[in-house]
Amino acid sequence: MIRLEPRATPSVLMSWCSPILAVLLTAVCGVVLFMAVGKDPLTSLGVFFFEPIKDLRGWTEVGVKVAPLLLISVGLAICFRANFFNIGAEGQLVIGAIAAGSVVLYFDDGEGGGFWLITLALLAGAVGGALWGGITAWLRDRFNANEILVLLMLVYVAQLLLSYLVHGILIDPDGFGFPQSRLFSDGFLLPMVIPGTRLHLGIVLALAAALLGWLFMSRSFSGFKLQVGGMAPRAARYAGFSARKALWVSMLVSGGLAGVAGACEVMGPIGQLTPSVSPGYGFAAIIVAFVGRLHPIGVIFSSFIMALLYIGGELSQSRLGMPSAITGVFQGILLFSLLACDVLIHNKLRWRK
């Protein structure tokens, strides 16, 4: 019989092996799931995990999904390290998309565009996401409001605001009444990294954000203060570190990166404002951040896994006839697998005679 025995100190090895074991356990659960619905498990797993990356086009499509997930999860990793639970990145992404899309629609006359206007739109997205995150920071700082409840409610406010705008003042006058803005001109779309594919500049911005996030958290005094405040609030107060500053910095950075992700979506694969600019990237990035051990470099690996789940889920629907919920099912399995494997960080298995 197997029992759990507490470790004297947490296992560093298991801390890093846990995400890998969680991915393997997710694959095993996938085998059981496909067998339960009468599908060949090996063929189904091949479609889900290997079909998306069998050629260059598949890799680039995964990269399109990695870009927003990586941008958001880097910000969430910083926020969670500071012990502030930003679970409203979905709303910040939507506001960033609205801000960037509004700038594009204002300047887009069908002729112009270029580097400076694209940069302006990206900055607008970052500012929009940061301000939306700043609402929660202000309510938490001024009234000690529960940031989790506020962030969740603001997600719905942002989504309803987007729906209101694309049904109203931003609707395409030549769109036959469909709730969407007009298509952005080519001069306002992000340049492609690999010609002939959909992989856009957002992937470069995401990788740069991961590198800068790592430098900030591990090589700067501000990042050190942020982490101390999250791990040991009393020690941080004794050392004179400002909890208010940590709150504002983490929420503004996290919201700004989510806003850039929203801007990249509407200026990249979507090319316009629609009632839904995200399939749930803001919530999926929470899983990405924890699978990546809240490390700005670790989330590169986990965002790739999550992007693979998105593409694999889409292929499973078209090739295997699986329902659209299959992606969410695998995301949930991955999260619970990670929680189960994390138990072994503080405990070890023992055989009971």
Side-chain angles (χ1 to χ4, degrees):
M1 191 174 181
I2 302 175
R3 64 184 177 88
L4 290 174
E5 181 179 291
R7 297 180 186 271
T9 56
S11 172
V12 177
L13 177 62
M14 276 306 306
S15 178
W16 291 103
C17 289
S18 177
I20 300 174
L21 292 176
V23 172
L24 295 176
L25 185 57
T26 301
V28 172
C29 292
V31 169
V32 177
L33 176 64
F34 287 125
M35 290 178 64
V37 296
K39 304 292 183 182
D40 179 25
L42 294 181
T43 303
S44 301
L45 282 182
V47 170
F48 208 96
F49 289 105
F50 299 108
E51 190 77 12
I53 53 175
K54 71 176 184 179
D55 52 24
L56 178 61
R57 181 180 177 278
W59 279 96
T60 57
E61 286 299 311
V62 172
V64 171
K65 300 287 187 183
V66 167
L69 289 169
L70 183 53
L71 279 167
I72 300 170
S73 58
V74 169
L76 293 184
I78 294 174
C79 220
F80 293 155
R81 284 283 185 185
N83 203 27
F84 297 112
F85 296 96
N86 181 10
I87 61 172
E90 183 77 3
Q92 294 145 25
L93 179 152
V94 170
I95 295 299
I98 292 173
S102 299
V103 169
V104 171
L105 292 171
Y106 180 80
F107 287 102
D108 188 1
D109 56 2
E111 299 177 1
F115 173 78
W116 293 110
L117 289 177
I118 289 177
T119 302
L120 179 62
L122 289 172
L123 288 175
V127 171
L131 290 177
W132 204 249
I135 295 174
T136 302
W138 179 73
L139 291 173
R140 167 70 185 269
D141 183 27
R142 181 68 177 82
F143 302 105
N144 197 30
N146 186 299
E147 72 267 25
I148 295 177
L149 295 178
V150 174
L151 286 163
L152 281 176
M153 289 188 290
L154 286 177
V155 170
Y156 296 107
V157 174
Q159 291 172 340
L160 290 172
L161 176 61
L162 174 62
S163 179
Y164 169 77
L165 291 174
V166 296
H167 280 86
I169 59 174
L170 297 183
I171 193 172
D172 182 4
D174 300 321
F176 303 101
F178 286 97
Q180 59 190 26
S181 74
R182 67 177 188 270
L183 290 169
F184 301 159
S185 299
D186 290 343
F188 288 90
L189 298 178
L190 295 177
M192 297 299 122
V193 176
I194 300 178
T197 69
R198 298 201 309 156
L199 187 61
H200 53 76
L201 187 63
I203 188 65
V204 178
L205 298 177
L207 293 172
L211 177 60
L212 292 174
W214 172 73
L215 291 173
F216 172 73
M217 295 300 286
S218 61
R219 294 293 185 269
S220 72
F221 186 54
S222 297
F224 170 74
K225 291 192 293 185
L226 214 67
Q227 294 183 79
V228 171
M231 293 185 294
R234 292 184 179 180
R237 285 195 298 268
Y238 181 79
F241 299 163
S242 173
R244 295 180 68 244
K245 184 178 180 181
L247 167 66
W248 280 98
V249 168
S250 60
M251 286 301 302
L252 291 178
V253 169
S254 183
L257 288 174
V260 172
C264 289
E265 282 300 290
V266 296
M267 297 168 64
I270 301 177
Q272 64 181 154
L273 284 174
T274 64
S276 177
V277 297
S278 167
Y281 290 140
F283 295 115
I286 298 173
I287 304 175
V288 171
F290 281 102
V291 172
R293 312 304 333 161
L294 302 182
H295 193 287
I297 301 299
V299 296
I300 297 176
F301 161 77
S302 55
S303 60
F304 172 78
I305 296 298
M306 186 61 70
L308 203 58
L309 294 183
Y310 272 110
I311 301 296
E314 294 172 3
L315 289 177
S316 295
Q317 295 173 52
S318 59
R319 304 279 180 86
L320 304 174
M322 299 295 289
S324 59
I326 187 66
T327 301
V329 170
F330 268 85
Q331 290 176 356
I333 292 173
L334 178 61
L335 176 60
F336 282 108
S337 298
L338 179 68
L339 295 174
C341 293
D342 278 355
V343 172
L344 299 178
I345 297 175
H346 299 277
N347 301 274
K348 53 187 175 181
L349 297 175
R350 289 292 189 190
W351 289 98
R352 178 183 297 173
K353 295 182 180 180

